[in-house]
Amino acid sequence: MIINLKSPTDLSGFYVVYEGSTNLEKPGWYGLSHLMEHLLCKSFDHLQEDFDKDGIDWNAYTSSNEIVFYLTGLDEKVNKWKKKFVDLLTTFNITKEQFENERKIVLEEYMDSFNDQTQSHMLNLSRKLFNDYSPIGLRQDLENLKFMDCLNFFELQYTKPTKIINVSKHKDFKDKGIEFQERKIVTNLSFGEHETPMELNNEFKDKTSIAILSPVIEEDFAYVHFINAMLSLGLKSPLYQEIREKAGLVYYIHCYQSRVNNKGLNSISTLTSNKNVGKVIELTKKVINNPDKFLTKERFNIIKDYYLVRRQKDEINRYASVNQWINPPKWSVYDILDEVNLKKIKEVYKKYYNFENFYISV
């Protein structure tokens, strides 16, 4: 599928999306999606100086749901490289030497991920509760991967993209020679107690990370995003006011929904001194279990205005704002802005925000 979007400026964005990612991994392959993202970027190493001359920014990322490669820059410059970019991504040009070297780099990135206390906590929790290794993978699998694994995964994942998103003021992207493929997303995500290897770091002595997870979200994803903004967007939000501004217990507190296998994982996370863990959990419970006090009409209007303005900004910066076309339907807050009301917000809140049903990990 090719999606052509009009840019209101002379800035262009070109995104090649591969659905599947970690959903296509199996035991022995955990982390292969992320490694292959690195390796596919080697396919256009020889163009780096040309990209520099044309002022083109490029990058890629791997999520639990898709792998995305993209170019951004001036419309006339990006248009020169779109066809070449797709051709290089859909052709296996990786050498064994590149494989060995990039695997070392990915293993370094892997260990860096577990040197951050909060990130380490969430990654280990994902393994324990969902048997999910996220894009970072599993160290022993990365160490034991063979070059042939990359070739096999390329055939499975990369020969045909899922969609191309072209954002341009002057030129639609058309190429009848490109084949596209929809990939099945695994949806059997559920809580459990899995026996999986943990990555433990004993250097974290004076601080405790806290992760509070709601039940798995099956629907209402856009409304959950809206609610999370009501709870945690800005220093005047309920969670920040009660836990940071009034009690002085944390520097930050995040409330966000992740998409894994096209289901939602909603979590509240923070980092605090060891002695303050109980206080933070109690204050979080106080906020979550008092929607009538904290989810006010005034707060609702602030968040709706915020998203209305943000939608306008995204339309202006369309070349770099394409997530609503990458995510599945019903995930974007923008899709509900014309209909959302406080009554609906409280109905969804009642379904997913009962603190007694939350899983608490410290």
Side-chain angles (χ1 to χ4, degrees), residues 42 113 121 165 236 272 344:
K42 296 297 178 186
S113 297
H121 186 179
I165 303 170
K236 289 293 186 179
T272 191
K344 176 67 174 179

Side-chain angles (χ1 to χ4, degrees), residues 15-19 66-69 161-165 326:
Y15 300 77
V16 183
V17 181
Y18 294 89
E19 291 180 353
E66 63 268 325
I67 305 157
V68 181
F69 300 83
T162 306
K163 66 182 75 168
I164 289 174
I165 303 170
I326 293 176

